[in-house]
Amino acid sequence: KPQAGPQHSGSSTSMGERAKRPTELKDLALPLPRNEKGGILITEDELKVAWEFFDTNGKGKLTMSEIKKRLQTFYKDITTREVKFLLNNQPEITFDELFALLKDNQLTNFDPVKEAFKVYDPNNTDFVDMDIVKTFFKELGYGDISDEDAKIILETADGDKDQRIGLDDFRMMVPFGQPHDPSASSTD
């Protein structure tokens, strides 16, 4: 079954209203946790999740070519120059070096989850393209995803039960960049 997208416009207005909702929400600034310099807070635990994705052989060090190879699954046209920039012009990087580089970032107008979501929504439909998910699984060496597997992924990730994975659903699946309520304070 093809996934609903802009080319599959429904006749009901509720479908149109649903399609509009994520567009409006995606432009709102989320109150993301901040580090001491006002940038996005990146915890060691969050970074370890990403590190383990890249450090597939567990050697504790990543080279430019290893990072580029993994990123090319998501960003087909990524250049060596861009990867070199990501590594702060180093030929390789350790976890500790990467954490030191990122922990004091000053990124203030950046939503890492929204940026990750864009990779799964290359046609800007405001919903994850399940064919892209299948492609990523295969290219990353996890095997083929059957239509039944894709349906289970969709049902599991679809928090609002609209039969699609929007940004809000996606945000609940990832272990980083979670918004926090600035009005909520801890009472010790």
Side-chain angles (χ1 to χ4, degrees), residues 16-26 126 160 162 168:
E17 289 168 10
R18 257 197 323 240
K20 245 194 246 181
R21 194 180 123 260
T23 305
E24 293 162 1
L25 286 178
K26 73 178 185 177
D126 293 328
D160 59 9
D162 66 353
D168 292 335

Side-chain angles (χ1 to χ4, degrees), residues 144-164:
D144 290 325
I145 298 292
S146 69
D147 289 339
E148 187 60 31
D149 292 337
K151 183 179 177 187
I152 291 168
I153 292 169
L154 176 64
E155 288 171 356
T156 303
D158 182 19
D160 59 9
K161 304 302 178 206
D162 66 353
Q163 318 258 308
R164 301 180 286 190

Side-chain angles (χ1 to χ4, degrees), residues 181-188:
D181 183 355
S183 64
S185 59
S186 60
T187 52
D188 294 88

